[in-house]
Amino acid sequence: MSADNKKSLDPTVLAAIITVVGGIITTVIIALANRTGSQPATSVPPTEILHAATVQPSPIPTSTVPTGEPTSSPAPPTDTPTATLTPVIPVALGKDWMAGCISTLWKLYPADIKTVEREDGCWQEPVFVFRAENGDLDFLAQNQTGSNIFGLFAQLPTESGSVTFVVRLRDLENVDLLMGVFADQDVTSQGILMTIPQGNVKKRVIAQKDNVNSYTTLLRTGNLDQGDGYSFTFNFTLNSVRSTVNPSVFVTNPVSVPSAKKWLFLGYKVLGKSYRVDGTFLELELK
């Protein structure tokens, strides 16, 4: 065999080899294609989209706030403390005139007469026609209209005891001076009523009346010199009251006044349209 025959392939053999290789490749490709297509596709279920409800955060009230941070909401309001008014204690009877004061324990009669408190336990003066000065209770009135009886009431501080005072008069024209102790803050209530009738103040009689309505004289003294004043004492118990004048010139019988609370009255009774009363109560003492 020659060298040319060893180096070259027969074209027919080469064509056969190409055909066989091509067929193998084609078979492999088809097999791979079929294997891939035979596996079913894995289905993925659709994802459900859930819409969460939006919840607004509830602010938590705070009483303090960190520096530089705003509050989410104001703290609940707190009760604002209110000032407590301390009641003013009235000046004690018997000490008020000495202090130049008419204690708020005294109540005007009639009660519709206006008074103003001085915020120290005393009334703003003058209290109607009354004024406290130098330990005295001065009064001056004339030609007043309205009620015919005016004055001051004060509740006695004990169920039994005594109250003493002196009266000095400068004028008593067409008016009677009234003094008494009553079961209530009313001159028409049960009580004892002592009077100094109108007239010459240097020498006057002292009369006990039954009441302010019938105004009947029960007992009376003779004419008494005023001197430094007329002294009156009212002794009272749980059931009765009696009066003493100068200090033992005239003593009344006990009058029934069955009341645990009794009221001292100092005032005057108008007898005509034109009148004048001028005087002083002093040396008030309670025992």
Side-chain angles (χ1 to χ4, degrees):
M1 179 178 297
S2 63
D4 293 334
N5 290 339
K6 290 181 182 180
K7 294 181 182 180
S8 61
L9 292 176
D10 189 302
T12 302
V13 176
L14 182 59
I17 292 171
I18 292 173
T19 299
V20 172
V21 173
I24 294 171
I25 292 173
T26 300
T27 301
V28 171
I29 291 173
I30 293 173
L32 291 175
N34 290 336
R35 183 178 179 183
T36 303
S38 63
Q39 295 180 353
T42 302
S43 61
V44 179
T47 302
E48 181 179 0
I49 299 175
L50 299 178
H51 297 277
T54 302
V55 178
Q56 295 295 332
S58 299
I60 300 176
T62 57
S63 58
T64 59
V65 181
T67 304
E69 295 184 10
T71 57
S72 58
S73 65
T78 57
D79 294 334
T80 301
T82 56
T84 301
L85 297 178
T86 302
V88 178
I89 299 175
V91 178
L93 299 177
K95 296 182 179 179
D96 54 343
W97 301 352
M98 296 301 297
C101 156
I102 299 178
S103 171
T104 52
L105 292 173
W106 292 98
K107 310 298 180 183
L108 268 173
Y109 183 88
D112 58 356
I113 300 176
K114 293 183 179 180
T115 53
V116 178
E117 290 192 36
R118 207 167 66 186
E119 298 184 355
D120 60 354
C122 307
W123 294 117
Q124 181 68 50
E125 297 183 27
V127 180
F128 189 47
V129 299
F130 299 93
R131 186 183 188 91
E133 188 176 26
N134 299 323
D136 306 337
L137 180 69
D138 298 322
F139 53 94
L140 172 61
Q142 58 188 17
N143 304 332
Q144 298 286 343
T145 59
S147 173
N148 68 331
I149 296 179
F150 300 91
L152 291 169
F153 269 107
Q155 183 177 318
L156 296 171
T158 58
E159 293 182 353
S160 61
S162 67
V163 55
T164 300
F165 54 88
V166 173
V167 179
R168 292 176 186 164
L169 293 171
R170 291 176 286 275
D171 206 341
L172 196 62
E173 179 184 345
N174 213 17
V175 60
D176 288 355
L177 196 71
L178 306 184
M179 299 145 291
V181 172
F182 297 87
D184 205 350
Q185 190 180 332
D186 187 348
V187 292
T188 63
S189 63
Q190 182 68 27
I192 187 171
L193 176 61
M194 304 298 293
T195 70
I196 301 178
Q198 65 167 331
N200 181 7
V201 297
K202 293 182 179 180
K203 191 180 290 288
R204 297 305 310 137
V205 300
I206 309 296
Q208 179 188 3
K209 301 286 185 177
D210 58 349
N211 55 64
V212 295
N213 293 321
S214 61
Y215 212 56
T216 301
T217 299
L218 300 178
L219 294 170
R220 60 180 296 176
T221 68
N223 283 322
L224 301 176
D225 290 331
Q226 176 172 230
D228 290 333
Y230 301 104
S231 172
F232 289 83
T233 296
F234 291 94
N235 294 282
F236 55 96
T237 68
L238 190 61
N239 294 317
S240 66
V241 183
R242 63 183 175 87
S243 180
T244 302
V245 181
N246 274 6
S248 58
V249 170
F250 175 63
V251 180
T252 70
N253 294 320
V255 174
S256 176
V257 187
S259 174
K261 296 180 180 180
K262 295 179 175 64
W263 295 78
L264 172 67
F265 178 75
L266 305 176
Y268 57 92
K269 177 181 175 69
V270 176
L271 304 177
K273 291 183 178 180
S274 176
Y275 72 92
R276 179 180 172 86
V277 57
D278 184 5
T280 300
F281 293 106
L282 64 154
E283 298 179 16
L284 180 67
E285 182 179 10
L286 293 99
K287 294 181 179 179

